[in-house]
């Protein structure tokens, strides 16, 4: 019996060692291990054997099966390794060559500045709000004290989406003033950073798609002094210039009364340069005290509450912040520009 076992095992191992592929290994498996194979035949012969031989045959059959299975497994793994090696060799795979470096992106300069502005205002107790870019005429104009036939509509060249439904691409972030008043109970203060659109020709300081930051503070007893102090403090923080000064000039916006233009002392020079057009002041934003009609349109009693509002261009601030000379850079996905931030 042992002789049989040794012969079978030797023969099976030889065939396994010579097998060059899975098909050859399966043939050995079928001949020895599968149903009807050598091992199964040995087991099937047991009932016809003398009782004293039965145990030994059973044990030998199982040993044979285990030994062949181990040999098959070892050969399969050898063949798999060889195949992988062959494939790597064919492609010239060299595990010591350094990998391709991943290029890291960065946040767009406007996003970086917007986050910085948000941090400054939230540290002053402001809530950051958002609003729709496709806006109703009612919010973009009417509730801001700009009726349909008002000449002030001409101040902002508008992209109309659908004249019948009065949908526009918002021309400024001011409509969110009304949305904020509808949602919040005074006292509150909020800023609204966002993208706005105007049907304007592109040049170094004008874009058809740009960004504004609206500010709105409504409470009892709010006055112009609060507005000036707020913008001066925020700008000093944003531009990191402790002595930065601001000034007001009269300005007309239908939704504020009185209305102002706020200028910032040029952060680049003391006595005039190209950026401030040799005036030492840079026009920064429109602002003023919220018009009583606007408070009313937002559901707030103008007899009890007052408020200030401002709206500045984030792109223009970014030009000051990072000494960028052309607003069009922000729209172009030019990596030579973007990689500098
Ligand atoms: C407004 O849009 C008013 N909503 C601002 C406001 C809010 C006034 C609250 C009073 C109270 P104005 O059209 O001036 O105002 O635009 C505000 C800022 O947006 C400008 O100071 C400028 O920085 C920026 N801006 C305007 N037009 C463009 C443009 N085409 N490209 C880039 N920035 C622009």
């Amino acid at each position: 019996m042992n002789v049989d076992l040794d012969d079978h095992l030797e023969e099976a191992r030889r065939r396994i060692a010579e097998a060059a592929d899975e098909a050859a290994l399966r043939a050995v498996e079928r001949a020895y291990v599968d149903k009807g194979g050598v091992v199964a035949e040995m087991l099937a012969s047991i009932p016809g054997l003398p009782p004293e031989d039965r145990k030994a045959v059973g044990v030998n059959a199982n040993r044979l099966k285990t030994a062949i299975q181990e040999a098959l497994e070892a050969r399969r793994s050898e063949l798999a390794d060889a195949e992988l090696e062959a494939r790597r060799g064919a492609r010239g795979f060299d595990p010591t060559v350094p990998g391709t470096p991943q290029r890291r992106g960065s946040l767009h300069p406007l996003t970086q500045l917007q986050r910085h502005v948000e941090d400054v205002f939230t540290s002053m107790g402001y809530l950051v709000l958002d609003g729709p870019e496709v806006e109703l005429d009612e919010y973009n104009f009417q509730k801001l004290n700009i009726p349909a036939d008002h000449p002030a509509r001409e101040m902002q060249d508008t992209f109309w989406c659908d004249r019948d439904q009065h949908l526009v691409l918002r021309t400024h972030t001011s409509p969110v003033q009304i949305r904020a008043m509808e949602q919040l109970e005074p006292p509150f203060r909020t800023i609204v950073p966002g993208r706005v659109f105007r049907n304007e020709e592109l040049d170094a300081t004008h874009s058809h798609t740009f960004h504004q930051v609206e500010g709105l503070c409504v409470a009892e007893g709010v006055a112009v002094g609060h507005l000036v102090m707020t913008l001066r403090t925020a700008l000093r923080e944003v531009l990191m210039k402790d002595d930065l000064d601001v000034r007001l000039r009269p300005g007309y916006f239908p939704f504020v009364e009185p209305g102002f233009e706020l200028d910032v002392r040029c952060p680049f020079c003391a006595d005039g340069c190209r950026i401030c057009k040799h005036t030492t002041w840079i026009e920064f934003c429109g602002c003023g005290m919220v018009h009583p009609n606007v408070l009313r349109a937002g559901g707030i009693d103008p007899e009890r509450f007052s408020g200030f509002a401002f709206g500045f261009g984030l792109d223009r601030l970014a030009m000051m912040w990072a000494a960028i000379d052309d607003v069009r850079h922000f729209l172009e996905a030019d990596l030579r520009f973007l990689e500098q931030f």
Side-chain angles (χ1 to χ4, degrees):
M1 220 20 84
N2 272 340
V3 174
D4 252 11
L5 173 74
D6 291 344
D7 287 351
H8 282 314
L9 193 52
E10 196 180 316
E11 170 67 4
R13 282 190 171 143
R14 190 187 55 74
R15 286 179 61 184
I16 290 169
E18 283 171 6
D21 54 22
E22 176 60 23
L25 289 175
R26 272 297 294 143
V28 180
E29 203 162 33
R30 267 196 305 277
Y32 288 88
V33 185
D34 284 2
K35 236 182 183 174
V38 172
V39 172
E41 263 175 30
M42 283 170 78
L43 293 171
S45 71
I46 290 175
L49 293 174
E52 63 274 19
D53 289 344
R54 288 181 191 165
K55 188 174 172 204
V57 173
V59 169
N60 281 342
N62 283 323
R63 271 200 206 136
L64 181 63
K65 185 176 173 185
T66 311
I68 292 175
Q69 280 174 331
E70 281 171 6
L72 282 166
E73 202 176 306
R75 182 67 184 144
R76 280 199 171 105
S77 128
E78 256 175 46
L79 287 177
D81 287 352
E83 194 192 327
L84 191 63
E85 214 36 60
R87 271 203 259 143
R88 281 178 179 162
R91 270 196 264 128
F93 181 82
D94 178 355
T96 61
V97 172
T100 317
Q102 290 288 321
R103 294 183 71 190
R104 283 189 65 178
S106 58
L107 292 176
H108 193 280
L110 287 175
T111 308
Q112 292 183 29
L113 178 59
Q114 180 179 322
R115 291 188 181 180
H116 180 39
V117 168
E118 286 175 7
D119 284 348
V120 168
F121 277 98
T122 44
S123 77
M124 294 164 74
Y126 278 69
L127 196 68
V128 180
L129 291 186
D130 201 1
E133 291 180 349
V134 177
E135 188 50 283
L136 292 163
D137 173 286
E138 191 187 348
Y139 283 85
N140 197 77
F141 294 121
Q142 291 171 42
K143 290 189 169 191
L144 289 171
N145 210 23
I146 315 176
D149 50 358
H150 199 284
R153 290 211 174 197
E154 304 300 316
M155 289 166 77
Q156 300 174 356
D157 285 320
T158 309
F159 287 115
W160 294 92
C161 300
D162 176 348
R163 250 184 205 278
D164 294 338
Q165 289 186 31
H166 306 295
L167 281 176
V168 299
L169 290 185
R170 67 177 176 189
T171 54
H172 51 173
T173 42
S174 299
V176 192
Q177 284 190 32
I178 304 288
R179 294 186 179 277
M181 290 183 212
E182 287 174 347
Q183 301 282 325
L184 304 171
E185 286 291 322
F188 66 82
R189 44 208 149 150
T190 168
I191 56 159
V192 184
R195 194 156 53 154
V196 302
F197 310 86
R198 290 190 197 170
N199 194 354
E200 284 182 10
E201 294 282 322
L202 276 172
D203 66 27
T205 53
H206 292 85
S207 175
H208 45 70
T209 303
F210 56 102
H211 301 78
Q212 290 189 337
V213 177
E214 193 78 11
L216 175 67
C217 167
V218 180
E220 286 182 28
V222 173
V224 175
H226 298 121
L227 166 66
V228 175
M229 185 276 296
T230 300
L231 280 172
R232 191 176 50 204
T233 308
L235 276 168
R236 283 179 177 180
E237 277 301 310
V238 171
L239 296 173
M240 287 183 255
K241 218 167 179 308
D242 291 344
D243 55 353
L244 193 83
D245 215 354
V246 299
R247 74 173 183 192
L248 290 184
R249 286 177 292 117
Y252 173 67
F253 301 93
F255 31 94
V256 284
E257 180 57 39
F260 309 102
E261 298 275 356
L262 183 129
D263 300 337
V264 181
R265 182 66 87 175
C266 180
F268 302 109
C269 69
D271 46 11
C273 67
R274 198 173 57 85
I275 294 168
C276 61
K277 299 189 188 110
H278 303 282
T279 64
T280 73
W281 292 98
I282 296 179
E283 283 183 29
F284 181 64
C285 75
C287 56
M289 300 305 295
V290 182
H291 196 289
N293 289 350
V294 175
L295 288 171
R296 248 181 248 116
I300 289 175
D301 178 5
E303 299 297 324
R304 183 168 166 213
F305 295 105
S306 57
F308 66 72
F310 58 84
F312 62 83
L314 193 67
D315 310 64
R316 300 252 179 103
L317 178 61
M319 291 168 84
M320 257 196 266
W321 177 62
I324 294 163
D325 61 353
D326 196 317
V327 78
R328 286 170 289 195
H329 288 311
F330 296 126
L331 290 178
E332 293 159 359
D334 186 340
L335 290 181
R336 289 169 305 175
F337 171 72
L338 296 173
E339 275 171 352
Q340 296 175 46
F341 298 93

